[in-house]
Amino acid sequence: MQEAKRILICGSADEIPVSMLIAALERRQAPFLLLEQGSLHENVKLRWQISDKGLSGMMKVGDIVFDIRDIQSVYHRFMEPNDYWGSDANKQVIELSRSILQALMDLLDLLEARIVNRRRPMMSNNSKPYQAMMIRKVGFSIPDTCITNDRQALEVFRSQHPELIYKSISAVRSIVSKLDEEGLKRLGDLRWLPTQFQHRIEGFNVRVHVIGKVAFATQIISESTDYRYASLKGHPSCFRKYSLTEDLKTACVKLARICGLDFAGIDLIINPEKVYCLEVNPSPGYSYYEQATGQPIADALAAYLDF
Amino acid sequence: MFLILDYEKTTFGRHLLAAARSMHLNTLYLTGKEIVHGLSIDYRLTDHDKRFTIRFGKQLIRSEDIYGVYCGLDYFTPMLWPCFSVKDADYAAQETYALWLALLTTLSCRMLNSPALDTLAGHMLSVPETLSMALKHGLNIPLSITLESGSAASTLLAAHGTLQFTNLGQISPQELVIQRTDAKSVTKIKNHCRVTEILAGNLVHIALVGERYFISGRDENKSPFPIDLRIPQKIKTGLYSMQNELDLNMAEYQFRITSNREWIFSGYSRVPTNAMVAFGDTLFNYIVNYAIGNAGS
């Protein structure tokens, strides 16, 4: 009798990381179900309970009804319903979608399945200095950091580190920028909100995607301070496969594990003296790196879910 | 320095401040507004160092001078930046949360409670997560069902009479107590909902601060008062291990004791509001002593 295992893919198939994973699962002929964000409100129903007897319940996706205990693994990359639907959308659709998402995410917190990734550990990326303290524990170097709303404190830090960059403290995406003359002029605004400054590190960027115990590394050659936005500044970046040393691979796998993440995108800067770790991304857009280097990240993710 | 943080001044915080001052402790009580608009902050993090200095008025506080913290502040709301645009205020709230999560994590002193990834004031789990954890630690729990519509919930309401109800479509879902008379309005809800059983029985609150229990019941006016009740060993062990897993130093747990003397766990809060009324200064003196490391653990 065939095992009734279920792999749930949650998100929008229009998103490349989701569509590449679906293609990889299809290549493996793995039994997955797509919970498409755009039709959650029409297609998905949950009924589950927690009692003295434990967790039990059923889920309906389209016409398929199954026991939640048959869920073997889940990959989720949902957007906040307001962001997905936009402000002009039907309020009832947004509310219904939000309620299904909430019911599902509450379930994923409890389910004994492989969840890529669990909700709470993903929050470590909400504070970069908090995450940096976890990064230090694994033995990576971190950039010297000063977070301040005090101009005088910044001047002391600048006297120690003449070349600085500044960036957001939280998970809100910001363009990492050099603190140049223009930036210094804007520092009058500093008192309103503490800002994160770091000494600028020389070296090359490496993005490591860790899936369980497997790691794929990509070297990024860029003249820009923030390679993600390099093409906007007319300096396109070059991506190539990078061979990690066994120690470095072990450290990356350990870091993802310490952060509680089954799948992580780890950003490194490597120079002859040190390996710096800048951050651990809990929902990495891996497709960009796979398309640029041909490394089979989606296949590895599919294999991880289809164990 | 004993540091008290709250979104705004609370009865609990004020009592704690009074208790700390009666012990001649150098104490600072900061609200969300004061944290956001009244502090000068210098936070440093390197491979080998983590420390900060904050200036509040004429007071200069170094991280290493802080020997105890009570944090009742979960997060910062965008409303704390009324002059900012909606987008900027939201950004400021996230940035400030990120900074304070790091600042509090930097401290090596005892905290009530240690910051968690979800709130600065310690882990706050959803109802199903809380019940699941309680079950894991050997406690009996009520039934909690997540289901596909209000109409399905109203069927359960007819059977139970009173339930805890949550409409999961709301941005910040609220737990409400609903009665049979609410069935008609609940039926109209198309969203997924959660209902949790409310069992009959005597309500008991057990505050656990460090390893000391403060037990309170409710009198006929529903006012908390101290009760002398032997806590079954199984409950003690379960609460203690649950508090450890939650990484909390202080919490108050709610139980119903049924007619057949069964203890049913129904939830927890990180601020012992019932023990506060029932035990008054005894509780606050103990909390301060515990926070600064003077209480026998």
Side-chain angles (χ1 to χ4, degrees), chain B residues 139 203-217 225 227 229-232 234-240 243 250-257 263-265 267-276 279 283:
Chain B
L139 305 175
L203 196 57
V204 172
H205 289 97
I206 304 175
L208 178 55
V209 183
E211 291 186 2
R212 181 160 166 190
Y213 296 89
F214 295 84
I215 313 166
S216 56
F225 70 101
I227 51 173
L229 185 69
R230 193 185 150 271
I231 308 173
K234 181 189 162 194
I235 305 291
K236 271 189 173 180
T237 309
L239 283 186
Y240 189 67
Q243 183 140 307
M250 173 174 76
E252 189 167 71
Y253 301 88
Q254 184 175 297
F255 286 86
R256 291 267 176 187
I257 304 178
W263 289 55
I264 312 289
F265 170 86
Y268 78 100
S269 67
R270 294 154 303 168
V271 183
T273 47
N274 290 280
M276 172 178 82
F279 293 89
L283 175 77

Side-chain angles (χ1 to χ4, degrees), chain A residues 46-52 95 98-99 106 120 126-127 130 136 141-142 145-149 169-170, chain B residues 39 41 43 45-47 49 95 98 117-118 129 135 141 144 146 148 152 168-169 190-192 194:
Chain A
L46 292 114
R47 186 180 283 206
W48 59 271
Q49 63 183 52
I50 175 88
S51 71
D52 277 341
E95 269 202 16
R98 183 184 295 120
S99 76
D106 283 350
R120 199 160 269 113
N126 291 350
S127 170
Y130 172 88
R136 288 195 327 180
S141 282
I142 55 168
T145 300
C146 169
I147 302 175
T148 189
N149 58 349
I169 313 168
S170 66
Chain B
L39 296 185
I41 297 175
Y43 174 71
L45 182 64
T46 69
D47 280 345
D49 194 16
E95 290 285 283
L117 289 173
D118 43 359
E129 256 187 309
L135 183 66
I141 57 168
S144 180
T146 298
E148 68 279 9
L168 298 176
K190 306 282 183 209
N191 300 331
H192 275 56
R194 182 172 61 234

Side-chain angles (χ1 to χ4, degrees), chain A residues 55-76:
Chain A
L55 180 68
S56 59
M58 304 299 283
M59 188 163 171
K60 187 173 181 224
V61 181
D63 294 330
I64 303 168
V65 180
F66 54 94
D67 193 311
I68 56 169
R69 283 169 294 199
D70 293 336
I71 299 171
Q72 168 186 279
S73 56
V74 180
Y75 171 80
H76 66 90

Side-chain angles (χ1 to χ4, degrees), chain B residues 146-188:
Chain B
T146 298
L147 66 192
E148 68 279 9
S149 67
S151 144
S154 67
T155 313
L156 289 169
L157 187 60
H160 285 81
T162 309
L163 290 169
Q164 238 178 299
F165 176 85
T166 311
N167 177 347
L168 298 176
Q170 294 167 338
I171 290 175
S172 303
Q174 301 288 313
E175 296 281 336
L176 303 169
V177 174
I178 56 165
Q179 318 278 348
R180 274 201 190 95
T181 47
D182 300 312
K184 207 172 169 184
S185 55
V186 168
T187 307
K188 291 178 187 161

Side-chain angles (χ1 to χ4, degrees), chain B residues 67-84:
Chain B
Y67 46 69
V69 176
Y70 163 73
C71 180
L73 174 69
D74 283 319
Y75 45 79
F76 299 90
T77 68
M79 283 184 292
L80 288 166
W81 290 268
C83 299
F84 283 21

